[in-house]
């Protein structure tokens, strides 16, 4: 295993070194910013070193042994959720589209009460490592785990695109290095963190960066309000005056021009939250259901506060960047990388020191989220597919951990590739596609598995599979992929956000197929609901549930 890791590591280094640095965008080196950046990287590697001693088992790797407290896990979840899409992407969307960009903030936040009241407690009592453990509790394990793993990996890949694009552009702005070189560097660091540090290292990186990001975003918001003399009327008037779209930025319709797109994206963000595999996995890191509820409560509060800050920062970027000749072209349009407006605004508000701080925190945000995604993806491959499908649940712990680490390396390489391919995508938009898949497949199956006694394996599998195929197909045929990525002149599917079509379809198909299923397996599935429900509420083992 060590030989394999060394090979991958040095191969990646050589690949990175072979990139032509002459393609780098010329930028003045900010020694203060770079020093903070390197300090954080060194600090996280130290955390990884100490965490490596606690990742000798599958439980230690996936869930940090279940020893994370509620408030720690709440901070870590908030850190996981306050990703590059949330900080860089939403600020960029508000900066570009004004009021319309807030749909992401609202959608992300509204999804959390669903997690808090419907899922958190039952999830912790029923699961072990992945959310597929819950869906496979009373249903036939193999087909359900295969579908859950494929869906989870699809969500993770789209989410990875956003994080890697944000990371590449961040380092590009900070160091003046080529985008590809930056993406390779991030991929190498992620492999080191996850392979050696597992969930324990990832959790503490997420906790620390959540605290730092909230502190930095709070300072930015206060400075923006202070410099505009806390006069909101003047603040918005300046934004309208500087923005190319004028007063249109205070109205809906720029980013989402039609009702179907707005509703579809809103549904994806609201219900997709409860289907994100890397978020659901975090509830297995605490000791019991009470701590899981605490985690969801703390996370909801912190995330809600953070999204208020992104609104202020987004409009502040309009005022202080578009109102500054250094950052605008002759026609008044922005002359920088839109996804990086939050970082550029930090320099305007606090100079090179604050630029360094925000850059390091933004980079920490990306590292923490990509690490969480990678662990979740590795769990889907090793725990769900390898152990429970290929090995029928019989596997030596050492072999499972070895497969997990190999899967981590493969996902790290995949993250590098998708980051390079999708360089031009808006990071928040790409996450919206991940949420569409989570809302259309994972959420319907998980919700019905927990609350509907008539759910059957056949209904969950075929309903979920068809829903998955439909949502992936619609995403590929949408303008964002069919035109922007593939280069076609006209999209086959006219909307960028398919959840309003695919999510109801999955629910309807699961319901109809389950109702029509009279097989022997269906009777077993339905009979197991009471035992599952008892354990979900009490947390007792299966033997006690059956006895009850």
């Amino acid at each position: 295993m060590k030989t394999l890791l060394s090979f991958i590591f040095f191969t990646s280094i050589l690949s990175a070194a072979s990139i032509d640095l002459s393609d780098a965008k010329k930028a003045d080196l900010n020694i203060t910013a770079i020093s903070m950046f390197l300090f954080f990287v060194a600090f996280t590697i130290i955390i990884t070193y100490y965490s490596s001693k606690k990742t000798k088992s599958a439980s230690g790797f996936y869930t940090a042994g279940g020893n994370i407290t509620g408030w720690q896990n709440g901070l870590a979840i908030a850190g996981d959720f306050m990703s590059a899409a949330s900080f860089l992407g939403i600020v960029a969307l508000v900066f570009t589209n004004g009021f319309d960009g807030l749909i992401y903030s609202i959608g992300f936040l509204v999804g959390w009460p669903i997690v808090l009241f419907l899922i958190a407690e039952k999830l912790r009592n029923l699961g072990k490592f992945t959310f597929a453990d819950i869906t496979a509790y009373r249903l036939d394990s193999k087909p359900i785990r295969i579908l859950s793993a494929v869906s989870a990996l699809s969500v993770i890949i789209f989410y990875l695109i956003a994080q890697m694009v944000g990371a590449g552009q961040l380092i590009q702005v900070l160091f003046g290095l080529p985008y590809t070189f930056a993406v390779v560097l991030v991929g190498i660091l992620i492999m080191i963190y996850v392979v050696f540090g597992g969930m324990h290292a990832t959790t503490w990186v997420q906790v620390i960066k959540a605290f730092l990001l909230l502190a930095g975003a709070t300072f930015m918001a206060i400075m923006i309000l202070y410099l505009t003399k806390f006069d909101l009327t003047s603040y918005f008037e300046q934004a309208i005056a500087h923005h190319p779209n004028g007063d249109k930025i205070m109205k809906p319709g720029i980013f989402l021009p039609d009702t179907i797109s707005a509703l579809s994206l809103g549904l994806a963000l609201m219900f997709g939250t409860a289907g994100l595999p890397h978020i659901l996995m975090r509830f297995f890191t605490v000791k019991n259901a009470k701590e899981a509820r605490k985690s969801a409560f703390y996370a909801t509060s912190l995330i809600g506060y953070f999204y208020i800050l992104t609104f202020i920062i987004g409009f502040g970027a309009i005022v202080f960047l578009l109102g500054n000749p250094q950052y605008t072209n002759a026609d008044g349009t922005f002359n920088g990388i839109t996804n990086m407006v939050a970082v550029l605004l930090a320099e305007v508000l606090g100079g090179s020191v604050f630029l360094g701080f925000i850059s390091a925190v933004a980079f920490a945000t990306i590292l923490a989220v990509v690490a969480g995604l990678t662990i979740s993806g590795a769990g889907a491959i090793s725990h769900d597919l390898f152990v429970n499908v290929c090995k029928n649940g019989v596997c030596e712990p050492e072999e499972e951990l070895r497969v997990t680490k190999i899967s981590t390396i493969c996902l790290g390489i995949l993250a590098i590739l998708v980051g390079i391919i999708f360089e031009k995508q808006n990071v928040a938009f790409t996450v919206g596609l991940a949420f569409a898949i989570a809302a259309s497949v994972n959420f319907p199956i998980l919700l019905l598995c927990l609350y509907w006694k008539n759910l059957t394996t056949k209904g969950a599998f075929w309903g979920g599979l068809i829903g998955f195929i439909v949502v992936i197909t619609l995403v590929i045929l949408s303008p964002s992929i069919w035109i922007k990525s593939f280069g076609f002149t006209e999209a086959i599917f006219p909307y960028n956000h398919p959840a309003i079509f695919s999510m109801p379809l999955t629910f309807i198909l699961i319901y109809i197929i389950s109702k029509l299923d009279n097989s022997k397996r269906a009777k077993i599935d339905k009979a197991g609901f009471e035992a599952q429900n008892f354990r979900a509420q009490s947390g007792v083992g299966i033997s006690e549930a059956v006895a009850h």
Side-chain angles (χ1 to χ4, degrees), residues 487-504:
F488 293 99
T489 56
E490 186 176 350
I492 297 175
F493 179 69
Y495 304 106
N496 280 323
H497 306 286
I500 196 170
F501 303 100
S502 53
M503 189 178 80

Side-chain angles (χ1 to χ4, degrees), residues 21-43:
L21 295 181
S22 64
D23 292 335
K25 291 191 174 183
K26 299 300 181 182
D28 295 329
L29 290 182
N30 186 322
I31 302 301
T32 304
I34 293 172
S35 299
M36 290 187 176
F37 176 86
L38 295 177
F39 173 79
F40 180 81
V41 171
F43 183 65

Side-chain angles (χ1 to χ4, degrees), residues 473-493:
T473 302
L474 294 181
V475 165
I476 292 173
L477 299 179
S478 69
S480 60
I481 302 296
W482 198 250
I483 296 177
K484 292 183 180 179
S485 297
F486 294 161
F488 293 99
T489 56
E490 186 176 350
I492 297 175
F493 179 69

Side-chain angles (χ1 to χ4, degrees), residues 1-237:
M1 185 66 197
K2 290 182 179 179
T3 303
L4 178 61
L5 290 174
S6 300
F7 174 77
I8 294 294
F9 179 79
F10 287 110
T11 299
S12 301
I13 291 289
L14 290 173
S15 299
S18 67
I19 298 170
D20 185 6
L21 295 181
S22 64
D23 292 335
K25 291 191 174 183
K26 299 300 181 182
D28 295 329
L29 290 182
N30 186 322
I31 302 301
T32 304
I34 293 172
S35 299
M36 290 187 176
F37 176 86
L38 295 177
F39 173 79
F40 180 81
V41 171
F43 183 65
T44 53
I45 289 177
I46 292 172
I47 293 176
T48 302
Y49 172 76
Y50 284 103
S51 297
S52 64
K53 301 175 183 179
K54 301 184 179 182
T55 58
K56 304 300 183 182
S57 65
S59 175
F61 186 90
Y62 291 131
T63 66
N67 293 320
I68 306 299
T69 65
W71 73 266
Q72 291 169 347
N73 198 43
L75 262 175
I77 291 173
D80 212 337
F81 212 73
M82 294 185 299
S83 62
S86 294
F87 183 53
L88 302 178
I90 292 178
V91 170
L93 281 174
V94 174
F95 174 79
T96 304
N97 305 292
F99 180 83
D100 257 9
L102 293 177
I103 190 171
Y104 277 88
S105 299
I106 296 169
F108 286 150
L109 180 59
V110 171
W112 274 99
I114 297 172
V115 176
L116 175 60
F117 295 110
L118 294 181
I119 292 177
E121 180 178 350
K122 292 177 180 289
L123 194 76
R124 177 60 188 84
N125 286 338
L126 286 171
K128 184 180 180 183
F129 295 149
T130 68
F131 87 96
D133 291 335
I134 289 91
T135 57
Y137 189 87
R138 65 182 172 103
L139 304 179
D140 190 3
S141 178
K142 282 192 175 182
I144 294 300
R145 285 189 185 275
I146 291 172
L147 177 62
S148 298
V150 170
S151 176
L153 288 171
S154 300
V155 172
I156 288 165
I157 289 170
F158 275 110
Y159 223 116
L160 277 174
I161 292 171
Q163 309 310 317
M164 297 303 289
V165 168
Q169 292 179 348
L170 177 65
I171 298 178
Q172 188 180 36
V173 169
L174 187 61
F175 288 96
L177 293 175
Y179 173 84
T180 302
F181 181 89
V183 170
V184 172
L185 174 63
V186 173
I188 293 171
L189 286 172
I190 290 303
M191 288 186 234
I192 294 173
Y193 292 156
V194 177
V195 168
F196 296 105
M199 182 60 84
H200 190 270
T202 300
T203 296
W204 282 105
V205 170
Q206 288 167 341
V207 167
I208 293 168
K209 80 94 180 180
F211 176 78
L212 293 177
L213 181 58
L214 286 170
T218 299
F219 176 79
M220 290 182 74
I222 292 174
M223 284 299 297
I224 289 168
L225 295 175
Y226 171 76
L227 293 173
T228 54
K229 300 179 180 178
F230 293 92
D231 185 348
L232 295 181
T233 301
S234 173
Y235 168 63
F236 288 118
E237 286 177 349

